Coordinates of all heavy atoms in Angstrom, one line a residue:
M14 N 114.8 73.5 125.5 CA 115.5 74.8 125.2 C 115.0 75.2 123.8 O 114.9 74.3 123.0 CB 117.0 74.5 125.3 CG 118.1 75.0 124.4 SD 118.1 76.6 123.7 CE 119.0 76.2 122.3
P15 N 114.7 76.3 123.5 CA 114.6 77.5 124.4 C 113.2 77.7 125.0 O 112.2 77.2 124.5 CB 114.9 78.7 123.4 CG 114.5 78.2 122.1 CD 114.7 76.7 122.1
H16 N 113.2 78.5 126.1 CA 112.0 78.9 126.7 C 111.8 80.4 126.5 O 112.7 81.2 126.8 CB 112.0 78.6 128.2 CG 110.8 79.1 128.9 ND1 109.6 78.5 128.8 CD2 110.7 80.1 129.8 CE1 108.7 79.1 129.5 NE2 109.3 80.1 130.1
I17 N 110.6 80.8 126.0 CA 110.2 82.1 125.8 C 109.2 82.5 126.9 O 108.2 81.9 127.0 CB 109.6 82.4 124.4 CG1 110.7 82.1 123.3 CG2 109.2 83.8 124.3 CD1 110.8 80.7 123.0
H18 N 109.6 83.6 127.6 CA 108.7 84.1 128.7 C 108.3 85.5 128.3 O 109.1 86.4 128.2 CB 109.5 84.1 130.0 CG 108.8 84.5 131.2 ND1 108.5 83.6 132.2 CD2 108.2 85.6 131.6 CE1 107.8 84.1 133.2 NE2 107.6 85.4 132.8
I19 N 107.0 85.6 128.1 CA 106.4 86.9 127.7 C 105.6 87.5 128.9 O 104.7 86.9 129.4 CB 105.5 86.7 126.5 CG1 106.2 86.0 125.3 CG2 104.8 88.0 126.1 CD1 105.3 85.6 124.2
R20 N 106.1 88.7 129.3 CA 105.4 89.4 130.3 C 104.6 90.5 129.7 O 105.1 91.2 128.7 CB 106.3 89.9 131.4 CG 106.9 88.8 132.2 CD 107.8 89.2 133.3 NE 109.1 89.6 132.7 CZ 110.2 90.0 133.4 NH1 110.1 90.2 134.7 NH2 111.3 90.3 132.8
H21 N 103.4 90.7 130.2 CA 102.5 91.7 129.5 C 101.5 92.2 130.6 O 101.3 91.7 131.6 CB 101.7 91.0 128.4 CG 100.9 89.8 128.9 ND1 99.6 89.9 129.3 CD2 101.3 88.5 129.1 CE1 99.2 88.7 129.7 NE2 100.2 87.8 129.6
Y22 N 100.8 93.3 130.2 CA 99.8 93.8 131.1 C 98.7 92.8 131.0 O 98.4 92.1 130.0 CB 99.2 95.2 130.5 CG 100.0 96.4 130.9 CD1 101.2 96.3 131.6 CD2 99.6 97.6 130.5 CE1 101.9 97.5 131.9 CE2 100.3 98.8 130.8 CZ 101.5 98.7 131.5 OH 102.2 99.8 131.8
P23 N 98.0 92.7 132.2 CA 96.9 91.7 132.2 C 95.8 91.9 131.2 O 95.4 93.0 130.9 CB 96.3 91.9 133.6 CG 97.4 92.5 134.4 CD 98.1 93.3 133.4
R24 N 95.4 90.8 130.6 CA 94.3 90.9 129.6 C 93.8 89.4 129.4 O 94.5 88.5 129.7 CB 94.8 91.5 128.2 CG 95.9 90.7 127.6 CD 96.1 91.1 126.1 NE 95.0 90.7 125.4 CZ 94.8 91.1 124.1 NH1 95.7 91.8 123.5 NH2 93.7 90.7 123.4
D25 N 92.7 89.3 128.8 CA 92.1 88.0 128.5 C 92.4 87.7 127.0 O 92.2 88.5 126.2 CB 90.6 87.9 128.7 CG 90.3 88.0 130.2 OD1 91.0 87.5 131.0 OD2 89.2 88.7 130.5
F26 N 93.0 86.5 126.8 CA 93.2 86.1 125.4 C 92.2 85.1 125.0 O 91.8 84.2 125.8 CB 94.6 85.4 125.3 CG 95.8 86.4 125.5 CD1 96.4 86.4 126.7 CD2 96.2 87.2 124.5 CE1 97.5 87.2 126.9 CE2 97.3 88.1 124.7 CZ 97.9 88.1 125.9
T27 N 91.8 85.2 123.7 CA 90.9 84.1 123.2 C 91.8 82.9 122.9 O 93.0 83.0 122.8 CB 90.2 84.6 121.9 OG1 91.2 84.8 120.9 CG2 89.4 85.9 122.2
A28 N 91.1 81.8 122.7 CA 91.8 80.6 122.3 C 92.6 80.8 120.9 O 93.7 80.4 120.7 CB 90.9 79.4 122.2
E29 N 91.9 81.6 120.0 CA 92.5 81.9 118.7 C 93.8 82.7 118.9 O 94.8 82.5 118.3 CB 91.5 82.6 117.8 CG 92.1 83.0 116.5 CD 92.5 81.9 115.6 OE1 92.1 80.7 115.8 OE2 93.2 82.1 114.6
Q30 N 93.7 83.7 119.8 CA 94.9 84.6 120.0 C 96.1 83.8 120.6 O 97.2 84.0 120.2 CB 94.5 85.7 120.9 CG 93.7 86.8 120.3 CD 93.1 87.8 121.2 OE1 92.8 87.5 122.4 NE2 93.0 89.0 120.8
L31 N 95.8 82.9 121.5 CA 96.8 82.1 122.1 C 97.4 81.1 121.0 O 98.6 80.9 121.0 CB 96.3 81.2 123.3 CG 95.9 82.0 124.5 CD1 95.2 81.1 125.5 CD2 97.1 82.7 125.1
R32 N 96.6 80.6 120.2 CA 97.1 79.8 119.1 C 98.0 80.6 118.2 O 99.0 80.1 117.8 CB 95.9 79.2 118.3 CG 96.4 78.1 117.2 CD 95.2 77.7 116.3 NE 94.7 78.9 115.6 CZ 95.3 79.4 114.5 NH1 96.4 79.0 114.1 NH2 94.7 80.4 113.9
E33 N 97.6 81.8 117.8 CA 98.4 82.6 117.0 C 99.7 83.0 117.6 O 100.8 83.0 116.9 CB 97.6 83.9 116.6 CG 96.5 83.7 115.7 CD 95.6 85.0 115.5 OE1 96.0 86.0 116.0 OE2 94.6 84.8 114.8
I34 N 99.7 83.3 118.9 CA 101.0 83.6 119.6 C 101.9 82.3 119.6 O 103.1 82.4 119.2 CB 100.7 84.0 121.1 CG1 100.1 85.4 121.1 CG2 102.0 84.0 121.9 CD1 99.5 85.8 122.5
D35 N 101.3 81.2 119.9 CA 102.1 80.0 119.9 C 102.7 79.7 118.5 O 103.9 79.4 118.4 CB 101.1 78.8 120.3 CG 101.8 77.5 120.3 OD1 103.0 77.4 120.4 OD2 101.1 76.5 120.2
E36 N 101.9 79.7 117.5 CA 102.4 79.4 116.2 C 103.4 80.4 115.7 O 104.5 80.0 115.1 CB 101.2 79.3 115.2 CG 100.3 78.1 115.4 CD 99.2 78.1 114.4 OE1 99.0 79.0 113.5 OE2 98.4 77.1 114.5
A37 N 103.2 81.7 115.9 CA 104.1 82.7 115.4 C 105.5 82.6 116.1 O 106.6 82.6 115.5 CB 103.5 84.1 115.5
V38 N 105.4 82.6 117.4 CA 106.7 82.5 118.2 C 107.4 81.2 118.0 O 108.6 81.2 117.8 CB 106.4 82.7 119.7 CG1 107.6 82.5 120.6 CG2 105.8 84.2 119.9
T39 N 106.7 80.1 118.0 CA 107.3 78.8 117.7 C 108.0 78.8 116.4 O 109.1 78.3 116.2 CB 106.3 77.7 117.9 OG1 105.8 77.7 119.3 CG2 106.9 76.3 117.6
A40 N 107.3 79.3 115.4 CA 107.9 79.3 114.0 C 109.1 80.1 113.9 O 110.2 79.6 113.4 CB 106.8 79.8 113.0
A41 N 109.2 81.2 114.5 CA 110.4 82.1 114.5 C 111.5 81.4 115.3 O 112.7 81.4 114.8 CB 110.1 83.4 115.1
V42 N 111.2 80.8 116.4 CA 112.3 80.2 117.2 C 112.8 78.9 116.6 O 114.0 78.7 116.5 CB 111.7 80.0 118.7 CG1 112.7 79.1 119.5 CG2 111.5 81.3 119.4
T43 N 111.9 78.1 116.1 CA 112.4 76.8 115.5 C 113.2 77.1 114.2 O 114.3 76.5 114.0 CB 111.3 75.9 115.1 OG1 110.3 76.6 114.3 CG2 110.6 75.4 116.4
R44 N 112.8 78.1 113.5 CA 113.6 78.5 112.3 C 115.0 79.1 112.6 O 116.0 78.7 112.1 CB 112.8 79.5 111.4 CG 113.4 79.9 110.1 CD 112.5 80.8 109.3 NE 112.2 82.1 110.1 CZ 111.0 82.4 110.5 NH1 110.0 81.5 110.3 NH2 110.8 83.5 111.2
T45 N 115.0 80.0 113.6 CA 116.2 80.7 114.0 C 117.2 79.7 114.7 O 118.4 79.8 114.4 CB 115.9 81.9 114.8 OG1 115.0 82.7 114.1 CG2 117.2 82.7 115.2
F46 N 116.7 78.9 115.6 CA 117.6 78.0 116.4 C 117.8 76.7 115.7 O 118.5 75.8 116.2 CB 117.0 77.8 117.8 CG 117.2 79.0 118.7 CD1 116.3 80.0 118.7 CD2 118.3 79.0 119.6 CE1 116.5 81.1 119.5 CE2 118.5 80.1 120.4 CZ 117.6 81.2 120.4
A47 N 117.1 76.4 114.6 CA 117.2 75.2 113.9 C 116.9 74.0 114.8 O 117.6 73.0 114.9 CB 118.6 75.0 113.2
L48 N 115.7 74.1 115.4 CA 115.2 73.1 116.3 C 113.8 72.7 115.9 O 113.1 73.4 115.2 CB 115.1 73.7 117.8 CG 116.4 74.1 118.4 CD1 116.1 74.9 119.6 CD2 117.3 72.9 118.7
G49 N 113.4 71.5 116.5 CA 112.0 71.1 116.3 C 111.1 71.8 117.3 O 111.5 72.3 118.3
E50 N 109.8 71.7 117.0 CA 108.8 72.4 117.8 C 108.8 71.8 119.2 O 108.5 72.5 120.2 CB 107.4 72.2 117.2 CG 107.2 73.0 116.0 CD 105.8 72.9 115.4 OE1 105.0 72.1 116.0 OE2 105.5 73.6 114.4
D51 N 109.1 70.6 119.4 CA 109.1 69.9 120.7 C 110.2 70.6 121.7 O 110.1 70.4 122.9 CB 109.4 68.4 120.7 CG 108.2 67.7 120.1 OD1 107.1 68.3 120.0 OD2 108.3 66.5 119.7
A52 N 111.1 71.3 121.1 CA 112.2 71.9 122.0 C 111.7 73.3 122.5 O 112.4 73.8 123.4 CB 113.4 72.1 121.2
V53 N 110.6 73.8 122.1 CA 110.2 75.2 122.4 C 109.1 75.2 123.5 O 108.2 74.4 123.4 CB 109.7 75.9 121.2 CG1 109.2 77.3 121.6 CG2 110.8 76.0 120.1
S54 N 109.3 76.0 124.5 CA 108.2 76.3 125.5 C 108.0 77.8 125.5 O 108.9 78.6 125.4 CB 108.5 75.7 126.8 OG 109.7 76.3 127.4
I55 N 106.7 78.1 125.8 CA 106.3 79.5 125.9 C 105.4 79.7 127.1 O 104.5 78.9 127.3 CB 105.5 79.9 124.6 CG1 106.3 79.7 123.3 CG2 105.1 81.4 124.7 CD1 105.5 79.8 122.0
S56 N 105.7 80.8 127.8 CA 104.8 81.1 128.9 C 104.4 82.6 128.8 O 105.1 83.4 128.3 CB 105.4 80.8 130.3 OG 106.6 81.6 130.5
L57 N 103.2 82.9 129.3 CA 102.7 84.2 129.4 C 102.5 84.6 130.9 O 101.9 83.8 131.6 CB 101.4 84.4 128.7 CG 101.4 84.1 127.2 CD1 99.9 84.1 126.6 CD2 102.2 85.1 126.4
E58 N 103.0 85.8 131.3 CA 102.9 86.2 132.6 C 102.3 87.6 132.7 O 103.0 88.6 132.3 CB 104.3 86.2 133.3 CG 104.2 86.7 134.7 CD 105.6 86.9 135.4 OE1 106.6 86.6 134.7 OE2 105.6 87.4 136.5
P59 N 101.1 87.8 133.2 CA 100.6 89.1 133.4 C 101.2 89.8 134.5 O 101.5 89.3 135.6 CB 99.1 88.8 133.7 CG 99.0 87.4 134.2 CD 100.2 86.7 133.6
V60 N 101.6 91.1 134.2 CA 102.2 92.0 135.2 C 101.3 93.3 135.3 O 101.1 93.9 134.2 CB 103.6 92.3 134.9 CG1 104.2 93.3 135.9 CG2 104.5 91.1 134.8
T61 N 100.9 93.7 136.4 CA 100.0 94.8 136.5 C 100.8 96.1 136.2 O 102.1 96.1 136.3 CB 99.5 95.0 138.0 OG1 100.6 95.3 138.9 CG2 98.7 93.8 138.4
P62 N 100.2 97.1 135.7 CA 100.9 98.4 135.4 C 101.6 98.9 136.6 O 102.7 99.5 136.4 CB 99.7 99.3 134.9 CG 98.7 98.4 134.4 CD 98.7 97.2 135.2
E63 N 101.0 98.7 137.8 CA 101.7 99.2 139.0 C 103.0 98.5 139.3 O 103.9 99.1 139.9 CB 100.8 99.1 140.2 CG 99.4 99.8 140.1 CD 98.4 99.1 139.2 OE1 98.4 97.9 139.0 OE2 97.6 99.9 138.6
D64 N 103.1 97.3 138.8 CA 104.3 96.5 139.1 C 105.3 96.5 137.9 O 106.4 95.9 138.0 CB 104.0 95.0 139.4 CG 103.3 94.9 140.8 OD1 103.5 95.7 141.7 OD2 102.4 94.0 140.9
W65 N 104.9 97.0 136.8 CA 105.7 97.0 135.6 C 107.1 97.6 135.8 O 108.1 97.0 135.4 CB 105.0 97.6 134.4 CG 105.6 97.4 133.1 CD1 106.5 98.2 132.4 CD2 105.4 96.2 132.3 NE1 106.8 97.6 131.2 CE2 106.2 96.3 131.2 CE3 104.7 95.0 132.5 CZ2 106.3 95.4 130.2 CZ3 104.8 94.0 131.5 CH2 105.5 94.2 130.3
Q66 N 107.2 98.7 136.4 CA 108.5 99.4 136.5 C 109.4 98.5 137.3 O 110.6 98.3 137.0 CB 108.3 100.7 137.2 CG 109.6 101.4 137.6 CD 109.9 102.5 136.6 OE1 109.1 103.0 135.9 NE2 111.2 103.0 136.7
A67 N 109.0 98.1 138.5 CA 109.8 97.3 139.4 C 110.2 95.9 138.8 O 111.3 95.4 139.0 CB 109.2 97.2 140.8
Q68 N 109.2 95.2 138.2 CA 109.4 93.9 137.8 C 110.0 93.8 136.4 O 110.8 92.9 136.1 CB 108.1 93.1 137.8 CG 107.6 92.8 139.2 CD 106.4 92.0 139.2 OE1 106.1 91.3 138.2 NE2 105.7 92.0 140.3
V69 N 109.6 94.6 135.5 CA 110.0 94.5 134.1 C 111.1 95.5 133.6 O 112.1 95.2 133.1 CB 108.8 94.4 133.1 CG1 109.2 94.3 131.7 CG2 107.8 93.3 133.5
L70 N 110.7 96.8 133.8 CA 111.7 97.8 133.3 C 113.0 97.8 134.1 O 114.0 98.0 133.4 CB 111.0 99.2 133.5 CG 109.9 99.5 132.6 CD1 109.4 100.9 132.8 CD2 110.3 99.3 131.1
A71 N 113.0 97.4 135.3 CA 114.2 97.3 136.1 C 115.1 96.2 135.5 O 116.3 96.4 135.3 CB 114.0 97.0 137.5
E72 N 114.5 95.1 135.1 CA 115.3 94.0 134.4 C 115.8 94.4 133.1 O 117.0 94.2 132.7 CB 114.4 92.8 134.3 CG 115.2 91.6 133.7 CD 114.4 90.4 133.6 OE1 113.5 90.1 134.5 OE2 114.6 89.6 132.6
I73 N 115.0 95.1 132.3 CA 115.4 95.6 131.0 C 116.6 96.5 131.1 O 117.6 96.4 130.4 CB 114.2 96.2 130.2 CG1 113.1 95.2 129.9 CG2 114.7 97.0 129.0 CD1 111.8 95.9 129.4
A74 N 116.5 97.5 132.0 CA 117.5 98.4 132.2 C 118.8 97.8 132.7 O 119.9 98.2 132.3 CB 117.1 99.5 133.2
A75 N 118.7 96.7 133.5 CA 119.9 96.1 134.1 C 120.6 95.1 133.1 O 121.7 94.7 133.3 CB 119.5 95.3 135.3
R76 N 119.9 94.7 132.0 CA 120.5 93.7 131.1 C 120.4 94.1 129.7 O 119.9 93.4 128.8 CB 119.7 92.4 131.3 CG 119.7 91.9 132.7 CD 118.6 90.8 132.9 NE 119.2 89.6 133.4 CZ 118.6 88.5 133.6 NH1 117.3 88.5 133.3 NH2 119.2 87.5 134.1
P77 N 121.0 95.3 129.3 CA 120.9 95.8 127.9 C 121.6 94.8 127.0 O 121.3 94.7 125.8 CB 121.5 97.1 128.0 CG 122.4 97.1 129.2 CD 121.7 96.2 130.2
D78 N 122.6 94.1 127.5 CA 123.4 93.2 126.6 C 122.6 92.0 126.2 O 123.0 91.3 125.2 CB 124.7 92.8 127.3 CG 124.4 92.1 128.6 OD1 123.6 92.6 129.4 OD2 125.1 91.1 128.9
Q79 N 121.5 91.7 126.8 CA 120.7 90.5 126.5 C 119.5 90.9 125.7 O 118.7 90.0 125.3 CB 120.2 89.8 127.8 CG 121.4 89.3 128.6 CD 120.9 88.6 129.8 OE1 119.7 88.6 130.2 NE2 121.8 87.9 130.5
Q80 N 119.3 92.1 125.3 CA 118.1 92.5 124.6 C 118.3 92.4 123.1 O 119.4 92.8 122.5 CB 117.8 94.0 124.9 CG 117.4 94.2 126.4 CD 117.3 95.6 126.7 OE1 117.0 96.4 125.9 NE2 117.5 95.9 128.0
V81 N 117.4 91.8 122.4 CA 117.3 91.8 121.0 C 116.6 93.0 120.5 O 116.9 93.6 119.5 CB 116.6 90.5 120.5 CG1 116.4 90.5 119.0 CG2 117.4 89.3 120.9
R82 N 115.6 93.5 121.3 CA 114.8 94.7 120.9 C 114.5 95.4 122.2 O 114.1 94.9 123.2 CB 113.5 94.2 120.2 CG 112.6 95.4 119.9 CD 111.3 94.8 119.2 NE 110.5 95.9 118.9 CZ 110.4 96.5 117.7 NH1 111.2 96.1 116.7 NH2 109.6 97.4 117.4
R83 N 114.9 96.7 122.2 CA 114.6 97.6 123.3 C 113.2 98.3 123.0 O 113.0 98.7 121.9 CB 115.7 98.6 123.4 CG 115.6 99.5 124.6 CD 116.8 100.5 124.7 NE 116.7 101.4 125.8 CZ 117.2 101.1 127.0 NH1 117.8 99.9 127.2 NH2 117.1 101.9 128.0
P84 N 112.4 98.4 124.1 CA 111.1 99.0 123.9 C 111.3 100.5 123.6 O 112.1 101.2 124.2 CB 110.4 98.8 125.2 CG 111.4 98.6 126.2 CD 112.6 97.9 125.5
G85 N 110.5 101.0 122.6 CA 110.6 102.4 122.2 C 110.3 103.4 123.3 O 110.9 104.4 123.4
Y86 N 109.4 103.0 124.3 CA 109.1 103.9 125.3 C 110.2 104.1 126.3 O 110.2 105.1 127.0 CB 107.8 103.4 126.1 CG 107.9 102.1 126.7 CD1 108.6 101.9 127.9 CD2 107.4 100.9 126.1 CE1 108.7 100.6 128.5 CE2 107.5 99.7 126.7 CZ 108.1 99.5 127.9 OH 108.2 98.3 128.4
M87 N 111.3 103.3 126.3 CA 112.4 103.6 127.1 C 113.4 104.6 126.5 O 114.2 105.1 127.1 CB 113.2 102.3 127.4 CG 112.5 101.3 128.3 SD 113.4 99.9 128.9 CE 114.6 100.7 130.0
N88 N 113.2 104.9 125.2 CA 114.0 105.9 124.5 C 113.5 107.3 124.6 O 114.1 108.2 124.2 CB 114.2 105.5 123.1 CG 114.9 104.1 122.9 OD1 115.8 103.8 123.7 ND2 114.5 103.4 121.9
E89 N 112.3 107.4 125.2 CA 111.6 108.7 125.3 C 112.3 109.5 126.5 O 112.8 108.9 127.4 CB 110.2 108.5 125.7 CG 109.4 107.9 124.6 CD 107.9 107.6 124.9 OE1 107.5 107.9 126.1 OE2 107.2 107.0 124.1
S90 N 112.4 110.8 126.3 CA 113.0 111.6 127.3 C 112.0 112.2 128.2 O 110.9 112.4 127.9 CB 113.8 112.8 126.7 OG 114.8 112.2 125.8

């Protein structure tokens, strides 16, 4: 605990980019939750633009109470 699941449009990450994501997210989570690095897991899940609305936006819209940050594009009219 905790597990961070990041969904994103498909793309290729370099080893350096993956290291940067790992280090930045792990640092924020361990500091905030007062846990050691061994308690944190992170996964990346590519979601196609065609599936984004059904898979991601639907969940965001259905769970506003669980959001720390709402995407700015959802506030557009």
